[in-house]
Each structure stands twice: as structure tokens, then as C-alpha cells.
């Protein structure tokens, strides 16, 4: 089962080390994923052999760099099934893409009295841009609530989305509880009311097959670094017609057609939204990360993570003093699991785990409204990826046992 993927671990040099005398068990993949040799080599090869600025030169290196950069865009297009590569905008990451949409489409289309609908489970990146837009425009920000299971409540979505709604912006998969959103259904509701759907795919694209046309998403964002690409590269997908109608996000080189003294015109998609020198090496690295995922197959990646969750989640739920947030049914999960140990602060848990070489995250996970809703200040989050194994899951379980002993859990409980 989940051990079958051990062959991939050899591709990830960072996983070969020990931490505090223990083999590293990296379970912080929802924060950022590790990089295989293929991606690392693509970066060094690019800088050793091809480095030049794209689109601007006719010399050989400039042409080579441009070809590689645009080939990466094409790989993204195919990977998410966008209709054309012009609908793929390279950004710094999911946050950048969401800010782009809020500052351009949002600025033009949201007016006083309009509604923007998000959910209570959103990452701050898919919350603050809309909150600030709503404040600027005197629009109303509305929140879709959760079912008792911690999943987005579709009945509430139907109540919150109205004819006044202009934008519905929802995460495709939660970065805290690992729940998967029925984004297509929410999109249908949005479209019935004339609103657009913005999908936050930061925690979905690395783990499940995403088809932006099937979702009928108007905009969809994700970050390269959570899918083994470098940091500082991400993608905004947008439907051509919407992107055409939107004003540019930033102004400068690359995004212009003609510059006159007192006005200018903008170049065509996708470059209209790529002002200035882009993260060329990052985009190329993202293309190689996509190649890596394609070699395994996204269906296989999902199955592998599902097997790990099937294995570990029931065991976590059964541990005395451990509270798992979100669904306890493994089939309702990505490889992201949030929990707390009664009486031990999440930061202390994460520090104790580190003594066992286990890397997890503790905190509010950039989702303070969700923490408040669940009555928690912070949580521990373990998140799995394709290079994790059943051994890693067992290590997580033994780290919990060690931590409980270290903090004298029995006495705490009593
Ligand atoms: N949305 C979700 C659901 C996320 O998990 C994250 C990253 N934690 C983001 C948005 C923001 O991604 P980035 O920091 O790469 O821009």
C-alpha cells in the first residue's frame, strides 16, 4: 500500500537527513512541499545554461529562456485543463492571484450594496482581499458556515448566495481540516445568481486532479511551492472573456502594447497581467514539478494519500485525549489532519514532535475565523504528500505517545 511509493523518496535529498538524531519525518506539506532532484536540477540547469530575460531578446539564450517559460505555461494549461494557455497567468502564488482578482475584477464589478460570499473556513489569503474590497466598496461580505462535520454547508451556501452576490470565492480544499469543497455545486449556485466563482486551489491542485473547465471556475488560483515547485511562482487561471475585460493589475515593462506620453495600451493575454521580469526559473521549475506529478499520475497521488489517511486517521481518533477536527471519515479528507492533545499547547506538541524528528505545524494556520468558530486558539496540523509512507504515519502516532509521556498526560488529565 502506502509503502509502495518509497521509490520516490530517493528523489528528495532533503528527506535523507536526520533531525535531532532521528530520521526526518516531514509532515508539514500543507505549508510547503519538498522538491525532487528533477526540479532542483531544472533550476540549476536553467541558471547554468539558459538564463536570459524572456520575450525581449532575439539572441539564442533569450529565445531558449522564452521557449522554456512558455512551455511551462502550456504544461500548466494541460494539467488543469484550461481551454488555452493565454488563460494561464503566472503569479507569485495563490495569495498574489487572489489579490489580482480582487484588485482588478473586484474593483470594477463590485459596488455599494453588492455581496461577496466566502466561507468561514477560508485561508486569510482568500479572506482579507475580499474583506478589504468590501470595505472599500461598501459591499457586504457574507460567510458560508460549516456542517457539524466541519464541511462547507451547501444549504447555507444556497441561503447566502443571492441575486446581490457578485463574487463567490471558496477554497477547493481546506488547509486546516483537509475537507474537500463541492466547488462545482457552489459554482452552479453562483452562476444561477449571476455571480462568478473564484476557486482557491492551493491545497487541491497538488493532491487531486483539477479540471477548471469541468468546475466551470471563472478564476482559480494555486501556488507552485505546495506541489514541489520553487517558492514565488503560482498560477491564476481566468476565463478569457473576463481577463480581457479586466484592467491590468500592475503597470510596467512587458505588459504594454504602445506607450505614449499621456496614455498607453495593453498587450494581449496572458502578458497583460505579467508586468516586469517574471520568476522565469520558478515557472520552468513548476513545469518540471508538473512533469513529475504526471509521471506518477494524479489519480495515484490521491490514492496514495487516501491510503495514508485511511491508515492513520482512525488511529488518531481513537487515542485518549486527542481531538481531531473536521470529518472523522477518511474518505472526506485530503492528507491534511488537524488535531489537539488535551491539556498540551499545540506549540508544545509541535516542539516535542521535533525532538522525534517529526515536522508538523502548530498555530492558527492563517484561518483565525475558523479557529474562533471551532473555539480553538491553535491546532496541530499533520499533512501528508506523495513521498510520505506508513512509517511516517507510525512515527506521528509514536510522537503523540512520547509527547503525552513527556508532558505527563495522565497527571494533566487527572
Ligand atoms: N489558500 C490556501 C488554502 C492555502 O493553504 C494557502 C497557503 N497556506 C494559501 C491560500 C496561500 O498560498 P501562498 O502563501 O503560497 O500564496
Amino acid at each position: 500500500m502506502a509503502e509502495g511509493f518509497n521509490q520516490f523518496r530517493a528523489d528528495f535529498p532533503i528527506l535523507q537527513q536526520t533531525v535531532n538524531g532521528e530520521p526526518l519525518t516531514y509532515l508539514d506539506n500543507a505549508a510547503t512541499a519538498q522538491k525532487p532532484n528533477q526540479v532542483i536540477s531544472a533550476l540549476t540547469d536553467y541558471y547554468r545554461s539558459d538564463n536570459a530575460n524572456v520575450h525581449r531578446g532575439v539572441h539564442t539564450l533569450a529565445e531558449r529562456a522564452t521557449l522554456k517559460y512558455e512551455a511551462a505555461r502550456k504544461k500548466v494549461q494541460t494539467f488543469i485543463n484550461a481551454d488555452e494557455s493565454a488563460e494561464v497567468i503566472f503569479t507569485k502564488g495563490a495569495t498574489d492571484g487572489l489579490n489580482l482578482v480582487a484588485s482588478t475584477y473586484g474593483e470594477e464589478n463590485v459596488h455599494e450594496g453588492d455581496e461577496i460570499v466566502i466561507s468561514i473556513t477560508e485561508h486569510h489569503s482568500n479572506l482579507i482581499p475580499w474583506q478589504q474590497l468590501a470595505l472599500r466598496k461598501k459591499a457586504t461580505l457574507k460567510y458560508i458556515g460549516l456542517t457539524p462535520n466541519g464541511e462547507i454547508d451547501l444549504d447555507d451556501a444556497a441561503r447566502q448566495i443571492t441575486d446581490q452576490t457578485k463574487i463567490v470565492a471558496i477554497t477547493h480544499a481546506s488547509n486546516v481540516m483537509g475537507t474537500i469543497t463541492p466547488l462545482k455545486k457552489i459554482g452552479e449556485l453562483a452562476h444561477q445568481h449571476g455571480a462568478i466563482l473564484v476557486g482557491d486551489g492551493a491545497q487541491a491542485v497538488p493532491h487531486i486532479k483539477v479540471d477548471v473547465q469541468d468546475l466551470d471556475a471563472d478564476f482559480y488560483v494555486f501556488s507552485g511551492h505546495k506541489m514541489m515547485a520553487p517558492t514565488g511562482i503560482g498560477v491564476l487561471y481566468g476565463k478569457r472573456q473576463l481577463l480581457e475585460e479586466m484592467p491590468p493589475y500592475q503597470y510596467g515593462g512587458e505588459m504594454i502594447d504602445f506607450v505614449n506620453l499621456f496614455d498607453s495600451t495593453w498587450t494581449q493575454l496572458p502578458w497583460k497581467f505579467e508586468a516586469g521580469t517574471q520568476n522565469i526559473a520558478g515557472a520552468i521549475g513548476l513545469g518540471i514539478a508538473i512533469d513529475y506529478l504526471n509521471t506518477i499520475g494524479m489519480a495515484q497521488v490521491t490514492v496514495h494519500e487516501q491510503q495514508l489517511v485511511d491508515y492513520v486517521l482512525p488511529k488518531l481518533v481513537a487515542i485518549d485525549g486527542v481531538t481531531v477536527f473536521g470529518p472523522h471519515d477518511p474518505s472526506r479528507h485530503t492528507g491534511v489532519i488537524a488535531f489537539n492533545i488535551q491539556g498540551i499547547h499545540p506549540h508544545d506538541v509541535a516542539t516535542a514532535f521535533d525532538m522525534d524528528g517529526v515536522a508538523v505545524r502548530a498555530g492558527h494556520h492563517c484561518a483565525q475565523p475558523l479557529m474562533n468558530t471551532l473555539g480553538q486558539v491553535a491546532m496541530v496540523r499533520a499533512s501528508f504528500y506523495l513521498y510520505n509512507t506508513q512509517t511516517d504515519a507510525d512515527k506521528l502516532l509514536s510522537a503523540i505517545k512520547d509527547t503525552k509521556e513527556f508532558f505527563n498526560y495522565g497527571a494533566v488529565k487527572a
Side-chain angles (χ1 to χ4, degrees):
M1 54 165 282
E3 287 303 294
F5 272 89
N6 259 331
Q7 79 238 42
F8 296 112
R9 289 182 78 82
D11 289 333
F12 294 83
I14 206 168
L15 298 178
Q16 319 300 327
Q17 66 186 293
T18 55
V19 167
N20 293 324
E22 296 281 338
L24 169 63
T25 302
Y26 186 77
L27 297 177
D28 195 18
N29 294 288
T32 201
Q34 299 304 348
K35 321 302 175 199
N37 281 322
Q38 290 82 339
V39 169
I40 297 167
S41 300
L43 298 179
T44 52
D45 287 353
Y46 170 75
Y47 282 121
R48 280 175 194 278
S49 316
D50 303 324
N51 180 47
N53 213 332
V54 294
H55 301 136
R56 287 177 196 165
V58 290
H59 62 79
T60 301
L61 294 191
E63 279 184 6
R64 239 191 262 153
T66 304
L67 278 176
K68 285 194 164 185
Y69 181 67
E70 291 305 328
R73 194 189 308 278
K74 197 87 192 138
K75 288 180 192 179
V76 173
Q77 178 208 341
T78 311
F79 192 61
I80 61 171
N81 193 30
D83 190 32
E84 45 176 326
S85 62
E87 294 177 323
V88 173
I89 316 288
F90 284 126
T91 63
K92 286 191 287 183
T95 306
D96 194 31
L98 291 163
N99 276 282
L100 190 163
V101 178
S103 307
T104 54
Y105 183 91
E107 205 62 45
E108 295 265 298
N109 292 284
V110 174
H111 305 289
E112 187 168 348
D114 288 343
E115 296 170 354
I116 302 168
V117 176
I118 64 174
S119 87
I120 201 72
T121 203
E122 298 310 317
H123 187 283
H124 295 161
S125 296
N126 195 30
L127 191 161
I128 307 172
W130 309 118
Q131 179 193 68
Q132 296 302 309
L133 176 67
L135 286 171
R136 281 200 301 279
K137 295 290 183 165
K138 296 192 172 64
T140 307
L141 182 64
K142 295 167 85 180
Y143 288 87
I144 301 171
L146 303 178
T147 64
N149 223 6
E151 297 177 271
I152 287 180
D153 185 343
L154 272 180
D155 293 335
D156 196 36
R159 280 191 293 274
Q160 302 298 339
I161 300 169
T162 73
D163 288 344
Q164 272 65 56
T165 307
K166 290 290 182 296
I167 297 174
V168 179
I170 303 286
T171 189
H172 197 175
S174 160
N175 66 308
V176 180
M177 296 186 293
T179 46
I180 300 177
T181 307
L183 202 57
K184 193 172 172 174
K185 289 209 178 90
I186 294 187
E188 281 163 12
L189 281 172
H191 292 145
Q192 278 162 21
H193 291 280
I196 60 145
L197 174 71
V198 182
D200 174 358
Q203 299 290 345
V205 175
H207 306 287
I208 58 176
K209 176 76 196 144
V210 170
D211 180 332
V212 289
Q213 292 190 77
D214 180 57
L215 287 170
D216 201 11
D218 298 287
F219 297 102
Y220 193 95
V221 302
F222 57 97
S223 296
H225 69 93
K226 293 181 199 283
M227 51 193 288
M228 302 177 293
T231 50
I233 187 76
V235 169
L236 163 67
Y237 158 81
K239 286 182 181 166
R240 174 181 270 280
Q241 199 195 326
L242 297 176
L243 291 172
E244 296 274 15
E245 288 165 7
M246 278 151 53
Y249 179 39
Q250 291 181 326
Y251 300 94
E254 285 293 294
M255 50 75 66
I256 50 88
D257 201 359
F258 291 105
V259 179
N260 307 308
L261 281 185
F262 300 108
D263 62 4
S264 301
T265 55
W266 319 131
T267 192
Q268 56 190 316
L269 296 174
W271 305 292
K272 172 178 146 186
F273 291 103
E274 293 180 4
T277 300
Q278 297 297 295
N279 184 352
I280 304 161
I284 293 167
L286 175 58
I288 301 298
I290 288 174
D291 290 345
Y292 193 89
L293 286 165
N294 282 337
T295 305
I296 301 170
M298 284 313 290
Q300 267 303 105
V301 171
T302 309
V303 165
H304 174 71
E305 290 176 21
Q306 190 63 59
Q307 284 175 340
L308 287 171
V309 176
D310 286 348
Y311 175 77
V312 80
L313 186 59
K315 292 184 173 56
L316 276 175
V317 168
I319 299 174
D320 180 33
V322 168
T323 305
V324 174
F325 302 97
H328 290 183
D329 174 354
S331 72
R332 315 288 302 173
H333 262 267
T334 63
V336 177
I337 303 174
F339 62 94
N340 272 333
I341 306 177
Q342 191 191 342
I344 311 176
H345 194 281
H347 287 117
D348 292 336
V349 172
T351 307
F353 281 16
D354 191 52
M355 295 191 308
D356 280 351
V358 177
V360 293
R361 186 146 295 238
H364 54 59
H365 308 291
C366 298
Q368 284 179 4
L370 176 65
M371 294 294 128
N372 294 339
T373 304
L374 298 175
Q376 301 295 313
V377 181
M379 292 176 189
V380 183
R381 180 186 68 187
S383 48
F384 293 84
Y385 206 17
L386 54 90
Y387 38 71
N388 289 121
T389 61
Q390 195 180 312
T391 309
D392 294 333
D394 285 332
K395 201 70 197 289
L396 172 67
L397 297 169
S398 65
I400 293 176
K401 189 167 166 284
D402 292 348
T403 303
K404 284 172 68 177
E405 278 167 21
F406 183 82
F407 285 96
N408 203 1
Y409 171 75
V412 172
K413 197 181 154 204

